[in-house]
Amino acid sequence: MTTTPSLTETLPPAPAPGLRPRQPARRRARRALRRVPVWGAVALLLVIVMYPMVWMIFGSFKTPTEFFENPAWALPESLSFDNYVTALTRGNVAINYRNSMLVTLPSVFLIIILGVAAGYALEIMIWKGRHNTLLFVLAGIMVPGQMILVPLFTVYFQIGLTNTLWPLILTYTAMGLPLTTFLMAAYFRSVPRQIFEAATVDGASPLRSFFLIGLPLMRNAMLTVGLIQFFSVFNDLLIALTFTTDPELATIQLGLLSLSDEYGSTQYGPLFAAISVNIVVLLIVFAFLNKKIMAGLAAGSLKG
Amino acid sequence: MNRVFGDRKTILILLLPTLAIYVLFKVVPVAWSLGLSFFEGNTLRGFEFVGFDNFTTFFSDGAALQSLRVSVMFAILATIGQVTFGYLLALLYVFVLRKGSAFLRTAVFFPMVLPTVAVALLFRSFVSVGDTQGPVNEIINAAGGESVEFMASTSGTMAVALAMTLWSSMGFYAVLLYTGLLDIPDEVIESGRLDGASGLRLVRHIIIPLSLPILLSSIIFSLNATLKVFDSLLALNNGGPGTSTAPLTLYMYRTAFEYAEYGYGSTIALVLTLLCLVFTLTVFRSSRQRVED
């Protein structure tokens, strides 16, 4: 990337106290000049990151003729929402959204509530074998999803769950629990034990202190871990592809995949509209929660 | 006190649901899958014990070896790219932009939260040719070159897949490494400067060694994530042209669910799991040796 040369040039100069008071104006000008390549690199970076998305959002307003006749970087000639109407009515985008939410919200709720309880049992409660139990649960993080597909598919099929959203909710919950339990245990570890001991002295049972003290204390952690899990469930394709066959049950990822088959290279407008809906919705969510999301995803990967 | 916190009933109430779901939906299936890898067949046709046949088949199956190659190559190249660009970005955030890096950090991170299928379709159209040509080929044409049909070749598809992976995840690795770099005490860097190190030398001799643990975690995480790549390659070109860019994950999925070879599919899944394990342990061990030296 182009940031390499500018980066080394503009690393702050070694402090040389004797020089500082001399020629402050010229020095400032020189420093500003040295910043130019940095700002150039930053601008280039922003273009690289944003342009594909901007291009697609513009494309979602274009008519088929505009796609054929105008160059790819041309702006749409008018702001027409036809593509969005097509995508929403013909492409099941609304149903896909509903399904994704019907799957993601219960899964994340279960993962968080069960994970925080397990984290408390493994970290605050004192019993023999709790470290090994934590390791046993932690081992689940390493296992790729492919390893559990066939047995689960067989069972879901035999008990007739394949045409519901239950296989997804159950599988996502099982897949999200190891990391969540581990993270929750780590968060509980950073809480002073005295808080829970004080509650015991006041006569609270450990279950009561879990609900009255543990849960409120973990509010922040639950939100952070919840966001990690939200995105990993919301963005999954493998599980959804394996366990759902009915298009009525398709999640967003599946819906987009089938849209691309249906429209192929012939009709970019509705496809672009469907993808743009995703980009814009997620952009709005991200704008409000970006600090928590970034912290959560980073914590999830490092500790896992 | 310990008797209160050792209360069995409480432990069971809090831990049992998680443990039950984990064992039923993860541990049992893994063991089952492990067993299945020694069988051939599926639920309808019945299973036949074949011992290690599936494993020998794997190593003489051209498509399987090709997908193994794709997985390993993709993981290595993507990891090099992600960690390198992520590290450069992190250095830019910490040492050049400093407090002013918040907006850039957020903007570069954003693609990470987009659905992978959406990103893959975005990139596929971005490099498309013909009547609805994307900007990449418009630029190539403007520079006087012929349009390139990226999706028609293995190397083209892989190049787009790598560019796409970098685009969507470099911001994530940047934030990861940024948090690591922030942990380096200012005094250490200042004293390095006083000793005359600056620019690249400062990075090479002080910053990189001090951020080695977090670099290592990033490498292991990235290898594990990219070895499991599935959605993006499936959505980008369906593992094509032909099956030349199908990673192990996709090959496993097809074997098990399109050809209904449950036993062989489980074997492929097992190979994938072992691969993740081997990669992780190799990186971990080699780095530990370096630290000890």
Side-chain angles (χ1 to χ4, degrees):
Chain A
M1 203 196 305
T2 45
T3 52
T4 329
S6 53
L7 175 71
T8 48
E9 278 164 31
T10 49
L11 270 174
L19 287 174
R20 197 150 273 169
R22 255 169 46 195
Q23 297 176 326
R26 254 184 77 183
R27 216 187 145 79
R28 227 179 299 139
R30 244 180 56 204
R31 284 183 79 137
L33 209 63
R34 290 176 105 175
R35 286 250 143 195
V36 171
V38 178
W39 293 121
V42 169
L44 184 70
L45 204 59
L46 282 176
V47 170
I48 291 173
V49 171
M50 313 257 233
Y51 185 66
M53 290 183 274
V54 173
W55 173 73
M56 177 150 287
I57 292 171
F58 281 156
S60 67
F61 294 108
K62 290 182 184 174
T63 61
T65 13
E66 285 182 76
F67 275 112
F68 290 130
E69 287 164 7
N70 297 354
W73 46 63
L75 296 179
E77 281 162 7
S78 63
L79 206 64
S80 127
F81 283 89
D82 291 355
N83 291 325
Y84 286 88
V85 174
T86 315
L88 283 169
T89 51
R90 278 200 45 221
N92 289 346
V93 175
I95 295 176
N96 296 152
Y97 253 97
R98 191 203 62 194
N99 288 338
S100 271
M101 285 305 155
L102 278 178
V103 167
T104 310
L105 296 179
S107 306
V108 173
F109 177 77
L110 281 174
I111 292 172
I112 294 305
I113 214 70
L114 298 181
V116 76
Y120 184 88
L122 288 166
E123 188 55 42
I124 301 297
M125 302 299 285
I126 299 166
W127 46 288
K128 234 178 117 185
R130 63 192 174 119
H131 289 294
N132 289 333
T133 311
L134 186 61
L135 280 180
F136 171 65
V137 176
L138 193 59
I141 297 175
M142 287 281 289
V143 181
Q146 272 76 7
M147 203 62 193
I148 58 173
L149 285 186
V150 171
L152 287 182
F153 183 80
T154 311
V155 173
Y156 293 145
F157 187 77
Q158 274 168 0
I159 54 178
L161 282 181
T162 354
N163 274 325
T164 63
L165 290 172
W166 282 108
L168 302 190
I169 297 173
L170 291 170
T171 315
Y172 289 137
T173 307
M175 289 179 76
L177 274 174
L179 178 65
T180 307
T181 304
F182 177 72
L183 285 175
M184 291 302 179
Y187 284 118
F188 273 121
R189 198 168 307 142
S190 61
V191 175
R193 277 197 75 84
Q194 285 85 339
I195 296 180
F196 296 102
E197 286 170 357
T200 310
V201 173
D202 289 345
S205 71
L207 199 58
R208 216 177 134 83
S209 17
F210 168 69
F211 281 109
L212 291 182
I213 303 167
L215 275 187
L217 270 177
M218 287 294 116
R219 224 174 13 214
N220 238 332
M222 282 158 78
L223 178 62
T224 309
V225 181
L227 285 167
I228 314 178
Q229 296 301 340
F230 179 87
F231 283 103
S232 70
V233 174
F234 189 80
N235 287 343
D236 167 81
L237 177 67
L238 179 68
I239 303 297
L241 192 64
T242 312
F243 298 144
T244 45
T245 41
D246 188 350
E248 286 293 305
L249 297 176
T251 58
I252 288 171
Q253 292 261 76
L254 283 176
L256 286 173
L257 201 61
S258 68
L259 264 185
S260 81
D261 292 340
E262 189 183 334
Y263 293 120
S265 54
T266 49
Q267 256 193 299
Y268 269 14
L271 179 63
F272 283 11
I275 299 174
S276 299
V277 169
N278 270 294
I279 293 180
V280 172
V281 170
L282 287 168
L283 188 61
I284 294 169
V285 175
F286 190 68
F288 285 105
L289 291 169
N290 64 66
K291 282 213 178 100
K292 283 260 176 262
I293 295 172
M294 295 202 289
L297 288 175
S301 61
L302 278 190
K303 292 181 176 155
Chain B
M1 188 67 71
N2 279 2
R3 253 188 53 205
V4 178
F5 283 108
D7 180 42
R8 296 245 148 155
K9 219 176 88 197
T10 312
I11 295 168
L12 280 181
I13 292 172
L14 294 175
L15 189 60
L16 205 61
T18 297
L19 223 46
I21 292 179
Y22 176 62
V23 170
L24 278 178
F25 291 89
K26 203 134 189 198
V27 179
V28 171
V30 167
W32 186 338
S33 197
L34 217 61
L36 270 184
S37 60
F38 297 100
F39 286 84
E40 199 188 276
N42 60 46
T43 332
L44 293 176
R45 202 170 72 210
F47 289 96
E48 190 194 341
F49 184 78
V50 292
F52 284 94
D53 274 11
N54 283 332
F55 294 89
T56 40
T57 310
F58 183 89
F59 289 102
S60 54
D61 175 355
L65 292 179
Q66 169 66 15
S67 63
L68 180 67
R69 241 189 329 265
V70 170
S71 284
V72 171
M73 216 177 72
F74 183 81
I76 292 177
L77 291 178
T79 298
I80 293 175
Q82 283 172 336
V83 176
T84 312
F85 282 99
Y87 199 60
L88 289 175
L89 279 170
L91 289 173
L92 177 77
Y93 297 162
V94 178
F95 295 107
V96 184
L97 300 176
R98 315 233 184 136
K99 293 245 149 55
S101 72
F103 176 71
L104 189 66
R105 264 189 338 235
T106 314
V108 181
F109 188 95
F110 172 65
M112 179 76 191
V113 302
L114 294 177
T116 13
V117 175
V119 173
L121 298 180
L122 169 61
F123 269 73
R124 198 168 77 186
S125 5
F126 206 64
V127 301
S128 60
V129 280
D131 291 333
T132 51
Q133 186 154 278
V136 171
N137 273 312
E138 298 268 315
I139 292 173
I140 294 177
N141 289 352
E146 288 274 308
S147 291
V148 183
E149 201 170 333
F150 287 93
M151 295 305 143
S153 70
T154 309
S155 51
T157 306
M158 279 304 260
V160 176
L162 286 168
M164 170 176 105
T165 307
L166 263 187
W167 179 81
S168 62
S169 60
M170 65 180 180
F172 167 75
Y173 286 92
V175 167
L176 210 64
L177 292 159
Y178 166 81
T179 15
L181 286 181
L182 283 184
D183 287 342
I184 299 179
D186 283 341
E187 303 85 65
V188 178
I189 292 166
E190 276 313 308
S191 69
R193 286 218 178 94
L194 287 177
D195 289 342
S198 67
L200 266 186
R201 279 178 50 138
L202 190 72
V203 172
R204 228 187 90 198
H205 295 292
I206 294 172
I207 298 170
I208 291 187
L210 283 175
S211 51
L212 213 55
I214 192 133
L215 265 173
L216 183 70
S217 306
S218 308
I219 291 172
I220 292 179
F221 182 75
S222 169
L223 282 174
N224 267 307
T226 48
L227 272 175
K228 293 176 193 162
V229 64
F230 178 76
D231 338 23
S232 44
L233 285 171
L234 172 67
L236 186 66
N237 201 7
N238 202 13
T243 54
S244 61
T245 61
L248 270 183
T249 49
L250 184 53
Y251 188 61
M252 182 275 162
Y253 177 82
R254 284 187 179 147
T255 307
F257 298 104
E258 280 170 31
Y259 307 122
E261 292 289 350
Y262 285 10
Y264 190 35
S266 298
T267 310
I268 301 167
L270 183 59
V271 171
L272 180 71
T273 310
L274 292 176
L275 205 62
C276 291
L277 208 66
V278 168
F279 267 50
T280 306
L281 290 179
T282 312
V283 175
F284 196 66
R285 273 195 53 180
S286 67
S287 71
R288 270 197 30 194
Q289 264 165 8
R290 267 191 65 185
V291 173
E292 277 161 18
D293 279 348

